[in-house]
Amino acid sequence: MAEQTAPPESTGAIGAPFTGPPGPTAPGALPGGPTGTSPHKPDAAVVRDALAVGIAVGLSGFAFGVTAAGSGLSLLQICALSLFVFTGASQFALVGALAAGGNPYTAAAGAFFLGVRNAFYGLRLSQLLALPRALRPFAAHWVIDETTAVTVAQPDRRSARLGFTVTGLTLYVLWNLTTLVGAMGAEALGDTEAWGLDAASPAVFLALLAPMLKSTTERVTAGLAVLLALTLLPVLPAGVPVLLSALAAPVVLFLMGRRKRGPGTATRGKTTEKGGRDA
């Protein structure tokens, strides 16, 4: 009788003991991964990838320094932009608009709206990194395209934090050093437009962005934004085409929404009409 006092073992499938509901994700594992497991990636591999991105992109700070000097900014202003703004695409947009004779306020607005994307990166990275509150304001300064690309590619929180830190530190230090060197050596290079250095950062930005355009909606939105910018560039002041190209997103979303609702609405209308006749 004593052997029968314990409840019989519950089973899920035939012959398979039931082990209970899935447990919480293992500490360090990122949300969405296999339950109870945390894929491991060697720290050396994370550091290698982070350094590769940080060094490759950090060297383009030289191009920014030269381009900014050619737009008429002082050495102090150029270095302040890299130290406190630290988002390459926005910096290039600002100095590019100024070099083209654009209004400073329009140029600043275009750079600001281009940098807003980093706020959306921050929403994602805050979940992946889960940093202490005291560190978040400092980490926010490093939330850019490159650190986001490295961080989201990691399989666990430890690797994500390591990749974010190494990429951010390497890129921040190298970008500011090369900005200084570029600004100081701008006079030796002469005409910056002849070297095409102003296209360096946009090229890097597009190289990072292109692999992320996976859905049709994303590709169509990007294509329409490019078309708007190129069409408006000859007729509007510098910096304004960048602002107006952002209209591509709501336009595409509106058209895609109508396209999805159209067939369903028509089908429901026919069904209701048929049901009315049958009744």
Side-chain angles (χ1 to χ4, degrees):
M1 293 295 293
E3 294 178 357
Q4 296 179 1
T5 55
E9 183 178 33
S10 301
T11 59
I14 298 177
F18 176 68
T19 57
T25 305
L30 296 179
T35 303
T37 63
S38 177
H40 177 69
K41 184 174 182 179
D43 291 350
V46 178
V47 172
R48 180 194 62 216
D49 295 343
L51 286 175
V53 173
I55 293 173
V57 179
L59 292 175
S60 62
F62 176 79
F64 170 72
V66 174
T67 305
S71 69
L73 295 180
S74 67
L75 180 62
L76 181 60
Q77 290 172 326
I78 295 170
C79 292
L81 277 174
S82 284
L83 284 169
F84 300 113
V85 178
F86 188 55
T87 167
S90 297
Q91 292 178 231
F92 268 97
L94 175 64
V95 300
L98 292 176
N103 184 286
Y105 296 104
T106 303
F112 172 79
F113 283 108
L114 189 58
V116 166
R117 70 188 187 281
N118 294 336
F120 296 98
Y121 293 160
L123 295 175
R124 176 60 176 154
L125 293 188
S126 65
Q127 299 177 357
L128 298 181
L129 299 174
L131 295 173
R133 290 184 179 275
L135 295 179
R136 292 178 187 177
F138 302 98
H141 193 50
W142 287 356
V143 176
I144 55 176
D145 302 306
E146 293 78 15
T147 54
T148 302
V150 172
T151 302
V152 299
Q154 306 309 319
D156 58 79
R157 179 159 292 131
R158 171 186 168 82
S159 299
R161 288 179 173 178
L162 181 61
F164 177 84
T165 303
V166 174
T167 306
L169 180 61
T170 304
L171 184 52
Y172 187 75
V173 172
L174 192 56
W175 177 269
N176 280 281
L177 287 176
T178 54
T179 293
L180 176 62
V181 173
M184 295 178 65
E187 294 184 2
L189 288 174
D191 185 10
T192 57
E193 293 185 0
W195 292 84
L197 295 176
D198 54 335
S201 183
V204 172
F205 176 69
L206 290 176
L208 290 169
L209 179 64
M212 301 176 68
L213 303 177
K214 298 179 180 180
S215 68
T216 302
T217 303
E218 292 169 348
R219 296 191 186 100
V220 172
T221 303
L224 181 58
V226 171
L227 182 61
L228 281 172
L230 293 178
T231 303
L232 299 174
L233 189 61
V235 297
L236 293 177
V240 177
V242 175
L243 294 175
L244 295 182
S245 65
L247 295 175
V251 169
V252 171
L253 291 176
F254 174 74
L255 294 177
M256 295 292 288
R258 289 195 60 181
R259 181 181 176 185
K260 291 180 179 179
R261 290 195 302 268
T265 304
T267 303
R268 287 194 300 271
K270 292 180 180 179
T271 303
T272 304
E273 183 180 351
K274 182 178 178 181
R277 288 198 301 266
D278 290 344

